[in-house]
Amino acid sequence: MPRHVALSFFLSLLLSANAQEVPAPIGWPGPDIDANATVQEAPEFPGGMPALMDFLSAHVVYPKDALDQGVEGKVYIAFMVDKDGSVKDVEVARGAGLPSLGEEAVRVVGLLPPWKPGRLDGRPVKVRYTLPVNFRLTSPVKSK
């Protein structure tokens, strides 16, 4: 990636990301959870939000087609943080500009290490999580 291009990720759990309890499928041990239930403790990336931002910044590669066309945008990535903290079922919830931006965000979120799982009534639970990833060119791209 050229040095004059920087990626900016605005990850605000309080404003943009959301975590919600997912009911256990029928047949799983324990009672099913109401689909409208919310977790008491949200999942947490190891090291918190600063560490998550560092991880994304270190692993995301601005897609060449988006770079060439000067396309910026915010992609919302939905995924599941499982009871064991693993990240699963990563998908684009809402794309921006070019499909390659969503594809890159999905690729990198799929690389995330296990999180501290969400908890409800003291036990770990599956939580659906939505993470906004901003692709932004901070300096004009110069052509030769």
Side-chain angles (χ1 to χ4, degrees):
M1 178 170 67
R3 293 206 182 270
H4 60 274
V5 176
L7 296 176
S8 174
F9 302 97
F10 297 104
L11 308 172
S12 171
L13 288 178
L14 297 175
L15 299 175
S16 301
N18 102 38
Q20 60 186 181
E21 173 61 22
V22 174
I26 294 173
W28 280 26
D32 287 345
I33 297 171
D34 182 345
N36 295 320
T38 57
V39 293
Q40 293 163 332
E41 292 178 44
E44 184 178 327
F45 186 79
M49 288 306 296
L52 178 56
M53 289 171 39
D54 289 345
F55 183 93
L56 293 173
S57 294
H59 291 86
V60 169
V61 177
Y62 214 103
K64 183 172 177 3
D65 63 339
L67 182 62
D68 290 345
Q69 296 176 44
V71 175
E72 300 178 325
K74 185 182 292 188
V75 177
Y76 291 86
I77 301 299
F79 57 96
M80 188 72 63
V81 177
D82 210 345
K83 292 179 182 184
D84 63 1
S86 60
V87 173
K88 298 182 176 182
D89 304 326
V90 181
E91 63 185 10
V92 174
R94 187 171 70 194
L98 297 172
S100 60
L101 295 175
E103 292 164 2
E104 179 60 9
V106 165
R107 182 190 72 80
V108 174
V109 169
L111 298 174
L112 291 173
W115 293 40
K116 177 183 170 188
R119 293 191 167 277
L120 180 63
D121 296 330
R123 61 186 173 85
V125 291
K126 287 182 176 184
V127 178
R128 183 159 175 81
Y129 202 88
T130 301
L131 183 68
V133 179
N134 248 351
F135 287 86
R136 186 173 68 181
L137 301 167
T138 57
S139 298
V141 178
K142 297 178 182 177
S143 59
K144 292 185 177 183

